[in-house]
Amino acid sequence: MAVDLGILKTRNEIRWGRAKPTRDFSAVARRLVAPTAKARYQAVSARTGVPWAFIAVAHERESSQNWAGSLAQGDPYDKVSTHVPAGRGPFASWEEAAVDALVNCAPRAARNKDWSIGGTLTMLEQYNGLGYAGKDKPSPYIWSGTDQYVAGKYVRDGVYDPNAVDKQLGCAGLLLAMMALDPSISFDGNHMHMPVAPAPTAPSSKPSVTSPAPGSLGAFIASILSAIFKRNK
């Protein structure tokens, strides 16, 4: 059965407004917003247009923030992936693998234009798969660790166990905890990524008597002396 993404977005918005944590998200949230990690997520955000907080929670869900694991599915980024999406890589760095995951792999989050909270959560749910939405169940990928989720999990591809409980923390609770720590995170629907500014180019050498700065008095005198010497040759 096809999933209506508009309906899913509305349901995710409602759940977001009601969600209360049932587990402690704070330790993982602190790790995700730590300056070194945030800088790496922002570098990928600058290249893809995907908000860095989205990248952070997907990284946590896919590989528990393992920097050796690809953002796409958690496989080692320096080898060809074997899990879905399979056949990706190898890549030279975690960042290169992350850009590939967001730009070239379904659901191609880099193409998303709706970064409201409903749009963000729905894109994250698509990132994991719409199997739960197809069953009219809250996705543990999003809601695990909150009162919006109790049980039910795909224990492997295509196999759903209604009694299995997801042990990982879900993206919604992580985002709420991250927002409490970092007020710069918001979901107003108008996310604009900031390009990374190139480093200023340092001059090759300082002006000197033998190499005066262009346009300076020294340069003017040097040009006169050069003309005199050429005339006397």
Side-chain angles (χ1 to χ4, degrees), residues 119-205:
T120 298
L121 295 175
T122 300
M123 178 53 64
L124 280 165
E125 190 159 346
Q126 291 179 80
Y127 199 84
N128 178 243
L130 294 174
Y132 298 101
K135 292 181 175 294
D136 199 22
K137 301 287 185 181
S139 168
Y141 193 89
I142 309 299
W143 302 108
S144 180
T146 76
D147 60 358
Q148 300 301 300
Y149 170 78
V150 177
K153 178 178 172 60
Y154 280 93
V155 292
R156 57 184 179 274
D157 288 347
V159 180
Y160 179 77
D161 183 344
N163 298 311
V165 177
D166 194 309
K167 302 300 183 184
Q168 285 184 273
L169 296 174
C171 294
L174 287 170
L175 289 172
L176 283 167
M178 290 167 66
M179 291 170 74
L181 295 170
D182 187 336
S184 72
I185 301 171
S186 66
F187 300 97
D188 59 6
N190 297 311
H191 169 74
M192 293 292 289
H193 73 276
M194 296 299 293
V196 177
T201 302
S204 56
S205 60

Side-chain angles (χ1 to χ4, degrees), residues 46-130:
R47 295 176 60 183
T48 62
V50 178
W52 73 267
F54 177 108
I55 300 168
V57 296
H59 189 202
E60 177 63 24
R61 283 294 310 194
E62 295 300 328
S63 66
S64 299
Q65 205 190 21
N66 180 1
W67 294 101
S70 172
L71 187 67
Q73 71 298 82
D75 287 354
Y77 70 74
D78 59 350
K79 296 179 174 60
V80 177
S81 63
T82 57
H83 295 90
V84 179
R88 310 305 301 178
F91 298 97
S93 66
W94 181 86
E95 285 79 1
E96 292 299 325
V99 170
D100 177 73
L102 298 170
V103 172
N104 300 319
C105 301
R108 294 177 173 82
R111 298 183 183 180
N112 185 45
K113 303 300 181 186
D114 180 4
W115 295 113
S116 64
I117 190 57
T120 298
L121 295 175
T122 300
M123 178 53 64
L124 280 165
E125 190 159 346
Q126 291 179 80
Y127 199 84
N128 178 243
L130 294 174

Side-chain angles (χ1 to χ4, degrees), residues 20-33:
K20 293 180 174 55
T22 56
R23 295 170 61 189
D24 185 5
F25 287 82
S26 59
V28 177
R30 283 194 296 272
R31 173 160 49 77
L32 295 176
V33 303

